[in-house]
Amino acid sequence: MKNSVIIYNTLTRKKEEFKPLVEGKVGLYVCGPTVYSNSHLGHARPNITFDLLFRYLTFLGYKVRYVRNITDVGHLENEAEELGEDKIAKKARLEQLEPMEVVQKYMNTFHRNMEDLNVLPPSIEPRASGHIIEQQQMVDSILKNGFAYEANGSVYFDVEKYNEKYNYGKLSGRNLDDIKTNTRELDGQSEKKNSFDFALWKKATPEHIMRWPSKWSDGFPGWHLECSVMSTKYLGEKFDIHGGGMDLTFPHHECEIAQSTASQGEEAVRYWMHNNMITINGQKMARSLGNFITLDELFTGNHKILDQAYSPMTIRFFILQAHYRSTIDFSNEALQASQKGLERLMTAVKTLDELVASDKSSVDISALKEKCFTALSDDLNSPVAIAHLFDGVKMINSIKAGTETISADDLSELKLFYNNMIFDILGFKEENSSDTGNNEILNETVELLLNLRKEAKENKEWATADKIRDELNQIGIEIKDTKEGADWKLK
RNA sequence: GGUUCCUUGGCCGAGUGGCUAGGCAGCGGUCUGCAAAACCGUGUACGGCGGUUCGACUCCGCCAGGAACCUCCA
């Protein structure tokens, strides 16, 4: 915890020094996915961003409790609204599955994708469906405090009432008057006092499958309730950091603040962090816009706009090479650049093991370390940290080439530093090198061919040697001749 | 329409009131039987018009273009 961490707080729109509520401990809550469909590239962004935060704070010595929810009930969908179906129930009907079967299926996919991306599992991953009682309790306390009202078995949050005492809109920078004049009229039935009131508990229509009994009606909890409930249940009435995508700022996070404040009298969250969107052709990638690419499609290259498959680590690098509060634009060119860049970085990490120490260092390891940590501590500036790591790559290669020297102490410090940065903090891992491991037969077959080629080369039978190289290349195996002999990898 | 934000070289993407971001591609080179890979070196930039300033890509204003949110969304 040597250098203090600065984070940008959406609440104040400023960078602030991070000071945890409890010395040495951090409570972190991030909005997780709604599991009714496959995870797409957009989902990779918050999970990687906050994985970096989780890893970095942990590295600095904080004990972090990271809570990331799974939304498996509740959120209403536009076209389904009239039928009173929620997203999960709607999808279930289309696929003839039990709602919980849909949830399980896509939750499994999400977990697999996150593991591929080397995103660490959170400390607690609560599900909305497992916290219905607690959600009802919060509705109760909001009602008791007079900031909600019941109508036809549903309970709505009384925004106007709340705004008399507190400030509705403080997070997203809106004020209620603006909202009043500019809210689109979408709500057909008006059992609500005002169109901007939101549901805390919704009465289920007869067709609605997912429902729970309550004193108000058989129904289901409102859209924003679960995060307020589960964050404070596991992190306390007041906790440090709440993260999520920028698109959730309003209304989701605004409503969370209102709910927590209305039920407990004060806000729960101290620092709000929001990651920006991934765009494609300059437009947000979203399911509702139909321009998304699933993570599985990216990993396999199985999508019409993809020139090739991109590995999970390439995606991770692509995301970390931009600052989390900037948009990043998807393109094949950008992804390919990321792939090459990451290869260069990882090659240098391997080169570290080949370096030979000298008596003295001509390079400054501490300065390099300092720059990287300063960047990360400055609102998680991973692109600048990575840029410095590339300066280090040049340094490593120069030491190998003999134009720079390094002492034994500095060398072990440099190795430890790159291990910490690359693997522990940025969260990269080795992937698809020649030791494919999972395929012993392939390994041995290629080794056999490479030996044949080596013999041919020794006999100057260039035609045979080239034939082996070219034909392996055609079936997707790339040969790299190095000084130590031939290496290969799957393309 | 309202709120907030963005516009950097062929592509992606940092950053700063005066000091090389970085990656990819391109170009030149080293290595190699040839090639690939790897490594080294290298050019090009801050949407337009005004203003503030000794000095602006960086601050202010206007204009143009784009985005997010205002509705489920990462």
Side-chain angles (χ1 to χ4, degrees):
Chain A
M1 276 179 248
K2 41 219 171 234
N3 43 5
S4 58
V5 176
I6 309 287
I7 59 182
Y8 180 88
N9 190 350
T10 308
L11 204 51
T12 57
R13 290 165 198 274
K14 280 199 289 258
K15 284 187 186 179
E16 296 176 9
E17 183 176 350
F18 174 66
K19 291 203 180 104
L21 198 60
V22 179
E23 175 75 27
K25 294 193 163 66
V26 179
L28 170 64
Y29 185 91
V30 175
C31 293
T34 303
V35 282
Y36 65 100
S37 186
N38 282 315
S39 306
H40 61 80
L41 178 57
H43 291 109
R45 186 114 198 235
N47 286 294
I48 288 173
T49 297
F50 293 105
D51 186 52
L52 173 64
L53 181 67
F54 182 34
R55 285 167 177 274
Y56 188 51
L57 292 175
T58 303
F59 175 81
L60 292 178
Y62 289 104
K63 190 173 185 323
V64 185
R65 183 182 292 163
Y66 177 17
V67 181
R68 187 184 65 206
N69 68 299
I70 294 281
T71 298
D72 57 355
V73 289
H75 290 202
L76 285 160
E77 200 172 62
N78 248 341
E79 58 266 48
E81 194 166 2
E82 292 153 37
L83 300 170
E85 287 180 302
D86 70 26
K87 276 184 180 174
I88 289 156
K90 180 170 183 266
K91 190 81 177 183
R93 182 158 305 171
L94 293 175
E95 298 191 2
Q96 297 296 309
L97 293 168
E98 267 300 313
M100 277 301 158
E101 193 178 358
V102 175
V103 164
Q104 190 69 51
K105 179 182 171 187
Y106 292 116
M107 191 169 67
N108 290 347
T109 306
F110 172 71
H111 284 147
R112 183 166 47 72
N113 288 158
M114 289 307 115
E115 197 180 327
D116 287 340
L117 289 167
N118 213 20
V119 167
L120 295 172
S123 322
I124 303 175
E125 189 170 56
R127 291 167 61 172
S129 61
H131 297 74
I132 301 297
I133 304 287
E134 291 89 336
Q135 294 184 71
Q136 293 179 350
Q137 286 168 345
M138 187 175 265
V139 176
D140 256 339
S141 73
I142 296 174
L143 272 170
K144 200 179 300 166
N145 292 342
F147 295 110
Y149 55 91
E150 194 184 337
N152 294 326
S154 293
V155 181
Y156 294 99
F157 192 93
D158 192 335
V159 173
E160 201 153 46
K161 187 84 180 295
Y162 172 84
N163 197 56
E164 285 168 14
K165 183 165 183 191
Y166 305 104
N167 177 6
Y168 182 80
K170 63 186 294 186
L171 180 69
S172 55
R174 290 153 212 262
N175 63 62
L176 195 55
D177 292 335
D178 288 345
I179 296 170
K180 274 180 184 168
T181 50
N182 291 305
T183 300
R184 298 185 195 174
E185 288 296 335
L186 288 172
D187 312 279
Q189 333 98 316
S190 46
E191 42 187 49
K192 295 197 272 185
K193 283 192 200 166
N194 288 299
S195 61
F196 44 77
D197 288 347
F198 55 92
L200 296 173
W201 185 264
K202 193 93 172 137
K203 182 182 175 180
T205 53
E207 313 82 48
H208 203 277
I209 311 169
M210 286 186 127
R211 58 168 68 209
W212 289 265
S214 78
K215 64 177 79 163
W216 311 287
S217 63
D218 272 16
F220 52 96
W223 326 333
H224 312 298
L225 201 55
E226 59 176 279
C227 290
S228 290
V229 165
M230 296 190 288
S231 60
T232 50
K233 168 161 183 173
Y234 297 109
L235 298 173
E237 290 192 345
K238 206 164 185 64
F239 63 94
D240 297 303
I241 306 174
H242 188 131
M246 274 183 187
D247 51 350
L248 298 179
T249 310
F250 191 91
H252 184 57
H253 292 155
E254 200 69 71
C255 294
E256 272 189 55
I257 291 176
Q259 288 165 342
S260 301
T261 309
S263 73
Q264 61 185 219
E266 62 168 357
E267 285 176 55
V269 180
R270 305 175 61 231
Y271 301 87
W272 283 92
M273 292 178 75
H274 291 95
N275 63 274
N276 214 137
M277 304 289 103
I278 291 181
T279 60
I280 178 163
N281 297 322
Q283 198 186 27
K284 173 179 158 182
M285 186 177 284
R287 199 182 314 285
S288 52
L289 298 170
N291 63 352
F292 66 96
I293 309 169
T294 69
L295 289 167
D296 281 333
E297 285 165 347
L298 277 160
F299 299 161
T300 58
N302 184 26
H303 190 286
K304 63 175 185 295
I305 68 168
L306 296 176
D307 290 350
Q308 59 167 91
Y310 299 101
S311 75
M313 286 307 103
T314 299
I315 305 297
R316 191 173 176 108
F317 189 77
F318 171 65
I319 287 172
L320 291 177
Q321 244 190 335
H323 186 86
Y324 76 92
R325 285 191 287 114
S326 302
T327 55
I328 8 174
D329 198 51
F330 166 88
S331 71
N332 280 287
E333 251 183 318
L335 264 298
Q336 282 157 13
S338 292
Q339 183 182 332
K340 286 286 183 62
L342 179 61
E343 272 173 28
R344 183 165 142 82
L345 197 56
M346 296 307 268
T347 304
V349 172
K350 285 189 194 128
T351 306
L352 272 172
D353 288 327
E354 302 164 17
L355 297 187
V356 182
S358 310
D359 294 343
K360 275 171 61 183
S361 287
S362 63
V363 292
D364 192 344
I365 306 299
S366 327
L368 178 66
K369 282 173 66 174
E370 183 65 29
K371 284 182 199 162
C372 284
F373 288 128
T374 301
L376 282 181
S377 294
D378 181 14
D379 195 30
L380 234 45
N381 200 331
S382 53
V384 167
I386 288 172
H388 291 308
L389 287 178
F390 275 107
D391 290 339
V393 167
K394 220 160 262 182
M395 182 196 286
I396 290 166
N397 289 331
S398 300
I399 295 167
K400 194 190 178 198
T403 53
E404 300 277 6
T405 59
I406 188 164
S407 70
D409 284 353
D410 277 355
L411 180 55
S412 50
E413 193 182 346
L414 186 63
K415 280 184 188 174
L416 179 65
F417 172 62
Y418 265 74
N419 263 290
N420 287 156
M421 276 310 284
I422 306 279
F423 300 112
D424 302 339
I425 297 172
L426 295 175
F428 295 115
K429 62 181 178 187
E430 300 281 355
E431 57 184 4
N432 71 33
S433 57
S434 56
D435 48 31
T436 43
N438 53 356
N439 198 336
E440 213 35 52
I441 295 175
L442 175 66
N443 285 341
E444 291 191 20
T445 309
V446 177
E447 284 307 319
L448 178 72
L449 287 165
L450 288 183
N451 280 333
L452 285 173
R453 175 160 171 270
K454 190 177 162 207
E455 283 174 29
K457 284 176 73 173
E458 278 162 5
N459 297 328
K460 297 198 191 300
E461 291 162 10
W462 308 125
T464 310
D466 291 351
K467 187 170 188 212
I468 292 171
R469 181 219 291 156
D470 295 343
E471 295 198 356
L472 277 177
N473 193 50
Q474 280 217 330
I475 55 178
I477 294 171
E478 188 179 18
I479 308 289
K480 299 184 198 181
D481 286 326
T482 66
K483 290 191 186 74
E484 291 78 33
D487 197 3
W488 63 279
K489 69 164 190 176
L490 294 173
K491 283 201 290 192

